[in-house]
Amino acid sequence: MSREQYTPPTLQDRNAGPSSSSQQSQTQQTTSQPYTGGGFNLTAASLDALGDDSRPIHYLCGDCDARVTLKKGDAIRCKECGYRVLYKERTNRMIQFQAR
Amino acid sequence: MTMAQPLDVSRYRSERHIPWAPLSAEEIEARRLVQINAETVTHTAASDFPGHYGPEQDDSWVVERFRQGLKVDFHHNKPHDAAFSLVGIDASIANAFRRILIAEIPTLAIEDVFFLDNTSVIQDEVLAHRLGLIPLTGGREGLDWLHWFHRAPSKDAFTMQTASDGDETTPVSTHNDYNTIVMTLDIECRWATVEKDGWDGKKKAAEGDVAPEEKYIKSNVYASDLVFHPQGKQSEYFSGENAIRPVNPEILIAKLRPGHRIHLRCHCIKGVGSDHAKFSPVATASYRLLPQITITQPILGADAKKFARCFPRGVIGYEPDAATGEQKAVVKNPMKDTVSRECLRHDEFKGKVKLGRVRDHFIFSVESTGQFESDELFLDAVRLLRAKAERFKRHLTELEEGR
């Protein structure tokens, strides 16, 4: 599996069942069931919607600091100044840490 | 050759303690003292258990006597700092309260941090740790209502795994509105511009202005930037002034420069200080014993001045001496003494002063981090110890009944 195809395991995979969908949880709320949707619903999809997950990858020019958008097969070159060193941006995937 | 002298009983009585005679009031009072000498500390252990002072002395533990002896006296009681005297209990009980205050009263703290973006100079794990240590507060009723979140035992923590083996009473929790508080932090730094802020940050920088607050917008991330998102039933408990918020809004979390962004989401859960210090409800909870200074012979004139200077200000005062008319040193407020033993180093006070501490007079100092009030925390500690004692008793009965 390539790095791009890999999706990190989520809470959803481990606790399949009560928190399967946010709509379901919304209706459960009226029948005094614990509410597990919304803010707790941290699936890869819902978090990617918060981040930016468009296919073209963004880079930063090493010379003029401009944002360069490259697609597959594009020349590795800044569109503003022609500099050939580009820096990759931080991943837009969610990263979880324990506050310890 | 002289005849053997008969034993001088009166001398014997006065110099040595006769264990079977009933104790005088002074002797009973002296039992309460830890004696502090120039280089040693003696009589540290409590001796008020049955049989220690002979058959004439009744040292059995009676609830009624305990009730009469117990005294609680508040010196100051502020929400973040309380000091009070607890008189008439054993050191083991006082220490149990202190340890429960530090490690066993549950509080709410940030536990999981989900980073969506962090392009600041502070690393994700460091930032997560900083966030965890921020004291949070909110409606008292809601905090009591919040349930525990039972985390799955860590795969590398062997002891935790074995401890939970075969223990089906605490299943692993899922995050829901009963046990998890959600907070977010989304902040981006930029240059100040004329359109948005009324002044040009870049121009100020060119003019030589070095203050980041003048050049940039949102260059400092404060605890007040954390946004609470009530989930489900939480809006009933945490709304308006009861909302979950940092106790100190001006805690600096990170510093940013234009283009830096921090976007994260936190899950806060209830926990105890024995798990992690961030869950401890107190900054410190400590006690000391009440110092006792006994002046056995009058200290007069210049000596009295010197004597007073051996102690912190306010401990020793002056009184005119009836016999000589000189100023005499008297003990005014032993509570303020730090027991530095400085007075024992000077020859002029030799044999004139005795230092000690009252063994069953605990001066507690409880400093809350702000989630709960300090005096309430102590009451919680008492409740918790009581609940533990009851649980222990229940288990003992079960053992006796062979269950």
Side-chain angles (χ1 to χ4, degrees):
Chain A
M1 194 197 289
S2 77
R3 208 185 76 88
E4 269 63 38
Q5 284 169 323
Y6 171 74
T7 47
T10 60
L11 291 165
Q12 291 277 297
D13 302 337
R14 211 177 43 186
N15 311 310
S19 57
S20 54
S21 84
S22 63
Q23 279 85 8
Q24 200 185 337
S25 309
Q26 294 280 10
T27 53
Q28 278 175 352
Q29 192 197 334
T30 52
T31 58
S32 81
Q33 284 287 313
Y35 170 72
T36 54
F40 309 114
N41 205 4
L42 289 171
T43 58
S46 76
L47 286 164
D48 281 349
L50 288 161
D52 184 23
D53 198 33
S54 49
R55 269 315 291 160
I57 314 267
H58 301 290
Y59 296 88
L60 290 173
C61 174
D63 191 30
C64 67
D65 211 28
R67 202 142 189 255
V68 185
T69 310
L70 292 184
K71 284 199 207 69
K72 202 176 177 187
D74 281 356
I76 299 164
R77 197 137 199 255
C78 173
K79 280 165 185 124
E80 304 289 325
C81 65
Y83 197 65
R84 287 181 187 278
V85 176
L86 299 180
Y87 292 102
K88 194 158 184 138
E89 283 194 328
R90 183 198 158 102
T91 175
N92 54 26
R93 286 214 183 94
M94 183 274 284
I95 306 170
Q96 180 181 352
F97 283 90
Q98 276 200 315
R100 274 165 192 265
Chain B
M1 266 281 178
T2 53
M3 257 171 47
Q5 291 284 312
L7 193 68
D8 183 356
V9 178
S10 66
R11 190 167 155 266
Y12 189 75
R13 261 192 85 92
S14 62
E15 282 187 8
R16 278 193 56 189
H17 177 70
I18 296 181
W20 52 85
L23 297 183
S24 65
E26 299 91 78
E27 280 172 317
I28 288 177
E29 199 53 32
R31 271 169 54 178
R32 287 179 71 202
L33 289 185
V34 174
Q35 285 169 21
I36 295 169
N37 313 311
E39 277 162 19
T40 53
V41 178
T42 56
H43 299 73
T44 50
S47 56
D48 45 356
F49 44 84
H52 188 82
Y53 289 95
E56 297 294 313
Q57 192 64 33
D58 181 18
D59 276 317
S60 53
W61 196 87
V62 187
V63 180
E64 202 42 55
R65 198 185 296 158
F66 174 74
R67 269 197 199 124
Q68 276 165 17
L70 186 70
K71 212 174 84 196
V72 183
D73 180 20
F74 269 88
H75 306 306
H76 59 258
N77 187 13
K78 289 177 277 181
H80 291 192
D81 183 15
F84 56 91
S85 287
L86 192 61
V87 191
I89 58 166
D90 192 69
S92 55
I93 308 292
N95 196 40
F97 290 145
R98 184 190 65 85
R99 291 185 59 158
I100 288 173
L101 276 168
I102 292 170
E104 285 176 47
I105 293 177
T107 62
L108 184 77
I110 292 173
E111 170 71 359
D112 285 307
V113 185
F114 304 93
F115 284 90
L116 300 161
D117 199 1
N118 172 23
T119 48
S120 69
V121 291
I122 186 166
Q123 297 91 331
D124 290 3
E125 54 270 50
V126 179
L127 184 55
H129 178 240
R130 278 180 78 76
L131 287 167
L133 294 171
I134 295 172
L136 302 173
T137 189
R140 178 73 210 255
E141 194 197 343
L143 291 173
D144 286 340
W145 161 81
L146 270 184
H147 295 195
W148 292 98
F149 178 81
H150 298 290
R151 168 173 291 282
S154 163
K155 286 199 174 57
D156 11 271
F158 179 72
T159 45
M160 269 179 76
Q161 282 226 306
T162 47
S164 68
D165 270 353
D167 184 11
E168 263 102 63
T169 51
T170 53
V172 174
S173 309
T174 52
H175 288 284
N176 60 43
D177 57 341
Y178 282 84
N179 56 28
T180 310
I181 300 285
V182 179
M183 294 184 106
T184 60
L185 179 69
D186 186 3
I187 202 160
E188 185 165 10
C189 182
R190 60 178 172 78
W191 285 95
T193 56
V194 178
E195 306 90 71
K196 286 178 183 160
D197 316 297
W199 76 90
D200 191 359
K202 285 187 179 168
K203 203 175 128 208
K204 284 202 170 192
E207 285 163 3
D209 199 335
V210 288
E213 294 78 12
E214 294 291 310
K215 294 187 283 183
Y216 321 126
I217 298 302
K218 287 285 179 196
S219 60
N220 289 344
V221 185
Y222 292 107
S224 55
D225 294 319
L226 283 166
V227 184
F228 166 54
H229 295 272
Q231 308 288 324
K233 273 191 93 160
Q234 286 169 7
S235 46
E236 291 172 28
Y237 292 95
F238 306 112
S239 55
E241 62 173 25
N242 288 334
I244 299 289
R245 64 193 181 275
V247 177
N248 308 293
E250 293 196 337
I251 296 174
L252 185 63
I253 298 174
K255 290 202 169 196
L256 305 183
R257 286 296 175 265
H260 290 183
R261 183 180 185 221
I262 293 176
H263 185 195
L264 52 86
R265 177 177 292 251
C266 313
H267 281 181
C268 320
I269 60 166
K270 241 184 187 182
V272 289
S274 54
D275 178 33
H276 192 286
K278 70 185 173 186
F279 291 121
S280 184
V282 290
T284 66
S286 63
Y287 58 76
R288 63 197 178 97
L289 297 178
L290 176 75
Q292 171 139 343
I293 306 154
T294 321
I295 299 173
T296 49
Q297 280 175 50
I299 299 169
L300 303 167
D303 273 2
K305 270 216 168 101
K306 188 178 178 187
F307 186 69
R309 289 184 58 193
C310 293
F311 295 91
R313 198 166 294 155
V315 176
I316 302 294
Y318 305 108
E319 248 174 37
D321 186 41
T324 58
E326 277 185 294
Q327 290 290 89
K328 182 175 77 169
V330 287
V331 181
K332 237 169 66 186
N333 188 2
M335 191 84 76
K336 283 186 173 175
D337 190 22
T338 54
V339 198
S340 64
R341 307 190 215 181
E342 173 68 13
C343 65
L344 301 179
R345 295 179 63 234
H346 301 281
D347 285 338
E348 50 266 60
F349 309 131
K350 207 150 249 173
K352 290 187 176 178
V353 62
K354 284 194 88 150
L355 294 186
R357 282 179 183 273
V358 183
R359 197 185 292 113
D360 62 350
H361 186 131
F362 297 91
I363 305 167
F364 265 83
S365 162
V366 181
E367 287 177 38
S368 166
T369 54
Q371 189 160 122
F372 303 109
E373 298 196 348
S374 302
D375 53 344
E376 261 186 273
L377 282 173
F378 183 74
L379 292 182
D380 280 344
V382 176
R383 264 180 227 124
L384 232 157
L385 182 64
R386 193 194 157 99
K388 286 179 140 203
E390 273 164 5
R391 188 162 66 230
F392 182 59
K393 224 168 131 183
R394 204 168 55 240
H395 284 316
L396 281 183
T397 9
E398 279 173 18
L399 204 65
E400 205 170 55
E401 288 164 7
R403 267 188 281 152

